[in-house]
Amino acid sequence: MKNLHLSTRLLHADRQATVEHGAIHKPLHIATAYSYETAAELTAVFQGNQSGYVYGRQGNPTTAALEAKISLLEGAVGTVSFATGMAAICSMMLALLKKGDHVVASQFLFGNTASWMQTLSQIGCDVTLVDATETAHVAAALRPATRLVFVETIANPRTQVADLNGIGALCAQRGVLYVVDSTMTTPCLFQAKSVGASLVIHSLSKSICGHGNALGGSVSDTGLFDWSGYPNLHGAYCKGTSTGWGLLQIRKKGLRDIGATLSAEHGHRIAVGAETLALRMERACANAMQLALWLEQQPQIARVYYPGLPSHPQHERSRSLFSGHGALLAFETAAGIDPFVLLDNLALIIKSSHLGDNRTLAIPVAHTIFWEMGAEQRASMGIADSLIRVSVGIEAIDDLLGDFRQALGKPRTP
Ligand SMILES: *Cc1c(COP(=O)(O)O)cnc(C)c1O
């Protein structure tokens, strides 16, 4: 299997393990608890001396099969799944950080992650937000107490591309945990391990599932970080080689204590969705590219943000790092064009907050997902009031262009 393409290996991954009754899908395991023949075996599993399941909050065979697939896609040594992407991010940090620790994060973050950073600073950790498109800003923010650096690959919604290579080299040199949220790129466009990421985050609710019918999140360990030097690990998780220590603590402290566990049913839906990830990403990225190029030509549109456009400030970086520029674009309407009227004129494209769906979705950013943070933080993230985010789906491109064409051609005032 090793010499086959990743997309092929993903499709045949379940069969590589022993699957019950030869089923070609990993079955749904809905049991809450697991039992063993002897008390000694139960004890061995509890104490981590024998592999197995004890209680569903720490996972089940169905979610474990999904975790194995994500590890395969990321070239990771292991993955822990969670109920949502936010659960993955919060649980990972709560599992690994202590009061007084310092975190450096990109100032261009998914809105709810930005909100979480605020919460984190209120419960005893210091957080410094920096412009992660330049490594120098991250370097300047590092302190002796810095435990982790957190960045996104392509930021949502303005599509800034972090200096992923530079920050990776910096973190390696300083021995700092490097956490990369690769939701926007997916393992199809980018393996975060290639830039030295220690942990890779995915919101599985987005493109990996793709069908908008399940929520999930994951944390993968690339095996590049030396956990033996990490100060906050519990002694019980530091047995044997240090490779697995961090992820074990994320599973134990993150899943067991916090309990935002991915259900078997949603894990299954995500695994089925992931089977077509490569096909869907290819189509969605091609659609996004064409749509971005077309929108950039329209007089009613002031600016288009898409890493695939030569006008994008990190276009060259995106080309060198990713095998596609993603399925997300954003644009500002020109003066006199009401973004709400434009959105209401769209007939096919859906007004929705979600992204990474098979269907194309659009949303006025400042008034919805980035409303609560206030004007000042929006300004620091480059969010104009007229900004519309478009998550491009896999429809026929002519239909997407046609919908925008008719919407822009309609009268401009309500
Ligand atoms: C959606 C998203 C998240 C959160 O994922 P949920 O599954 O919605 O909780 C985190 N990071 C990024 C980049 C996202 O787009």
Side-chain angles (χ1 to χ4, degrees):
M1 290 291 273
K2 275 240 180 296
N3 54 356
L4 299 174
H5 287 90
L6 266 190
S7 53
T8 308
R9 289 173 66 191
L10 179 71
L11 284 166
H12 294 266
D14 280 342
R15 296 194 300 116
Q16 299 312 299
T18 312
V19 182
E20 298 84 327
H21 313 293
I24 60 168
H25 276 292
K26 185 71 183 177
L28 276 178
H29 284 270
I30 53 167
T32 306
Y34 298 80
S35 75
Y36 295 88
E37 280 301 313
T38 65
E41 269 184 281
L42 180 64
T43 306
V45 174
F46 251 92
Q47 294 183 3
N49 299 320
Q50 181 183 318
S51 67
Y53 301 88
V54 287
Y55 186 65
R57 195 180 336 104
Q58 287 180 64
N60 60 67
T62 308
T63 53
L66 174 65
E67 289 168 354
K69 287 177 194 169
I70 296 168
S71 293
L72 175 77
L73 292 172
E74 288 294 351
V77 294
T79 296
V80 180
S81 59
F82 291 88
T84 64
M86 285 317 302
I89 293 169
C90 300
S91 303
M92 175 273 292
M93 291 199 195
L94 289 171
L96 295 179
L97 296 172
K98 279 191 175 151
K99 191 170 79 177
D101 284 347
H102 179 237
V103 169
V104 178
S106 167
Q107 75 195 43
F108 311 121
L109 287 176
F110 174 66
N112 301 161
T113 308
S115 163
W116 160 250
M117 291 296 171
Q118 211 172 37
T119 304
L120 189 63
S121 68
Q122 285 162 359
I123 59 173
C125 290
D126 275 341
V127 179
T128 307
L129 299 179
V130 298
D131 176 352
T133 61
E134 286 180 43
T135 301
H137 296 140
V138 177
L142 291 181
R143 307 177 193 163
T146 307
R147 288 289 158 263
L148 66 88
V149 170
F150 185 98
V151 300
E152 294 176 5
T153 51
I154 302 175
N156 157 22
R158 270 282 314 278
T159 72
Q160 297 95 337
V161 181
D163 186 6
L164 295 161
N165 256 321
I167 300 170
L170 174 74
C171 288
Q173 183 207 346
R174 303 285 284 269
V176 175
L177 194 72
Y178 181 29
V179 186
V180 177
D181 181 336
S182 183
T183 299
M184 286 302 138
T185 29
T186 81
C188 281
L189 305 186
F190 175 62
Q191 267 199 351
K193 188 177 181 177
S194 69
V195 295
S198 320
L199 298 176
V200 188
I201 306 285
H202 284 293
S203 166
L204 304 174
S205 325
K206 307 291 173 53
S207 304
I208 290 183
C209 175
H211 297 69
N213 60 352
L215 293 161
S218 64
V219 180
S220 302
D221 187 330
T222 60
L224 296 178
F225 186 71
D226 178 10
W227 290 101
S228 68
Y230 194 79
N232 297 347
L233 297 183
H234 191 291
Y237 311 137
C238 302
K239 288 185 264 182
T241 65
S242 59
T243 317
W245 295 359
L247 208 60
L248 184 59
Q249 179 148 320
I250 291 168
R251 186 178 293 281
K252 293 291 183 179
K253 294 273 175 197
L255 267 189
R256 190 198 58 197
D257 297 5
I258 296 161
T261 310
L262 178 64
S263 72
E265 180 159 338
H266 278 205
H268 172 70
R269 289 187 199 176
I270 292 164
V272 172
E275 291 185 357
T276 53
L277 178 64
L279 283 174
R280 291 184 287 104
M281 284 310 285
E282 202 178 311
R283 175 70 165 256
C285 290
N287 279 354
M289 187 71 236
Q290 286 204 56
L291 195 53
L293 284 167
W294 185 84
L295 285 168
E296 212 177 32
Q297 302 297 314
Q298 308 311 309
Q300 301 97 324
I301 307 298
R303 268 199 86 163
V304 182
Y305 303 99
Y306 183 65
L309 292 174
S311 60
H312 190 283
Q314 290 95 37
H315 174 61
E316 283 308 320
R317 179 179 292 163
S318 180
R319 269 171 52 127
S320 72
L321 286 172
F322 313 135
S323 60
H325 302 285
L328 192 98
L329 63 86
F331 64 84
E332 291 160 15
T333 51
I337 305 294
D338 184 332
F340 278 57
V341 175
L342 170 57
L343 281 168
D344 288 350
N345 285 344
L346 290 167
L348 172 70
I349 292 159
I350 305 167
K351 290 177 279 296
S352 170
S353 67
H354 185 41
L355 57 90
D357 195 277
N358 285 339
R359 288 149 282 255
T360 300
L361 316 170
I363 191 163
V365 176
H367 312 272
T368 57
I369 45 178
F370 283 65
W371 177 246
E372 190 186 294
M373 65 175 56
E376 198 178 319
Q377 195 175 354
R378 277 200 297 277
S380 81
M381 298 170 111
I383 313 291
D385 281 353
S386 75
L387 190 76
I388 292 178
R389 181 186 78 185
V390 183
S391 168
V392 182
I394 59 170
E395 297 95 337
I397 184 63
D398 288 348
D399 294 333
L400 296 178
L401 292 172
D403 199 25
F404 268 107
R405 193 178 286 120
Q406 67 78 23
L408 286 171
K410 280 191 179 169
R412 291 171 192 183
T413 43

